[in-house]
Amino acid sequence: MKVVKIRKKDILRFVMISVFIIIISTITRSFGMQHYYNVDFTTGIVTASTLNVRSGPGTNYPVVAQVKKNEYIRVFAGVGNWYVVQVEGDYIGAVSKQYVKGIYPNTGGNTGAGGSTEPTINLTSDEQEVFNLINKQRTNKGLSPLKIDSEVQNVARVKAQDMVNNNYFSHNSPTYGSPFDMLKSFKVSYKTAGENIAGNSSNVAAVNAWMNSSGHKANILNSNFNYTGVGVVNGSKYGKIYVQMFIGK
């Protein structure tokens, strides 16, 4: 009779494979067999003081992370009364939908920044004119035109509205902090970033003012930037508030 010796590393390998199978099975039970549905936004803000992120769509699943009130989370889909989300630390899980307010409309699929699928962005007439004027300045200097990034576009609009709502004119928002803090809060990844702001009654005059300012002009003609978002909101003492955010990927 032949005796087969089992080595410690073989036992360890078996245990690791078994654990891996259990994890995969748990994920499948959590999400794989559920009925998903699309939601009309991709970014949500937490309304509860503390919100548990669970490994599956139900209170019987363990808590894998927590998010605080007014934090931003990325929402992928709905499962019953739960949203499948990504939170700080790149945790993927489920949260109760009653404690998440959608703030960024998702209007359909389109190929956007980095070749990924992005929501279609419909610029307002003011935003479109500013975007075109900026790209004309770039192409006149032999630079590649900027592309609209849906997530950056959202941040620019929110920042412009925040400036009007809170009656300030500054790169540092009392609500969101610096432009870089704000991009991070909205889960926007980038290698380099910048922001231009203006108050004016004319789109052409706003862009001309940027081009006559060395710092603003440097952002517009920065070859390291390849994506942008433009927010234009009426209602300030200037007539309109302009926010252009730039990122390089």
Side-chain angles (χ1 to χ4, degrees):
M1 180 178 177
K2 184 177 180 181
V3 177
V4 178
K5 294 183 178 180
I6 301 178
R7 296 172 296 178
K8 287 185 178 180
K9 67 178 182 179
D10 292 326
I11 296 174
L12 180 60
R13 184 181 297 112
F14 174 77
V15 171
M16 291 177 66
I17 291 172
S18 299
V19 171
F20 178 75
I21 291 172
I22 291 171
I23 292 173
I24 294 299
S25 299
T26 300
I27 292 173
T28 301
R29 288 197 302 271
S30 299
F31 295 108
M33 302 305 293
Q34 301 287 334
H35 175 66
Y36 289 91
Y37 56 86
N38 293 327
V39 294
D40 59 0
F41 58 91
T42 56
T43 300
I45 187 169
V46 176
T47 59
S49 57
T50 300
L51 182 60
N52 290 329
V53 182
R54 297 182 179 273
S55 63
T59 55
N60 56 313
Y61 292 96
V63 175
V64 297
Q66 287 186 326
V67 285
K68 302 297 183 181
K69 188 173 183 178
N70 294 328
E71 286 190 24
Y72 295 93
I73 58 177
R74 180 167 295 176
V75 181
F76 297 110
V79 182
N81 292 322
W82 297 74
Y83 288 138
V84 181
V85 301
Q86 179 186 22
V87 301
E88 189 71 27
D90 288 333
Y91 289 104
I92 302 294
V95 298
S96 176
K97 64 185 293 184
Q98 72 180 100
Y99 301 114
V100 177
K101 178 183 178 182
I103 60 171
Y104 177 31
N106 181 0
T107 58
N110 185 34
T111 301
S116 61
T117 300
E118 299 278 357
T120 301
I121 290 298
N122 296 315
L123 300 181
T124 67
S125 58
D126 285 331
E127 291 168 349
Q128 186 68 59
E129 183 176 15
V130 172
F131 176 65
N132 291 341
L133 289 168
I134 293 296
N135 273 339
K136 183 177 180 181
Q137 295 292 339
R138 286 177 64 90
T139 55
N140 285 346
K141 298 295 183 180
L143 298 171
S144 298
L146 298 168
K147 298 177 183 178
I148 292 290
D149 179 283
S150 59
E151 294 177 327
V152 179
Q153 176 64 31
N154 175 54
V155 176
R157 283 175 173 170
V158 172
K159 174 65 179 290
Q161 189 65 59
D162 184 59
M163 289 174 67
V164 171
N165 291 348
N166 291 294
N167 193 30
Y168 72 94
F169 188 83
S170 172
H171 290 291
N172 289 310
S173 162
T175 310
Y176 303 103
S178 73
F180 312 104
D181 293 333
M182 191 172 182
L183 288 168
K184 182 180 178 181
S185 294
F186 278 77
K187 314 299 183 186
V188 178
S189 56
Y190 58 89
K191 291 181 179 178
T192 184
E195 179 188 75
N196 284 352
I197 60 175
N200 211 300
S201 59
S202 162
N203 300 332
V204 173
V207 174
N208 286 341
W210 280 342
M211 291 303 295
N212 289 324
S213 165
S214 59
H216 296 89
K217 181 179 179 180
N219 277 339
I220 292 170
L221 301 181
N222 189 333
S223 61
N224 292 319
F225 294 146
N226 45 15
Y227 293 97
T228 191
V230 180
V232 183
V233 175
N234 293 306
S236 78
K237 63 182 180 180
Y238 305 102
K240 300 174 185 177
I241 285 293
Y242 298 82
V243 175
Q244 181 168 20
M245 289 192 167
F246 307 83
I247 65 166
K249 293 191 176 184

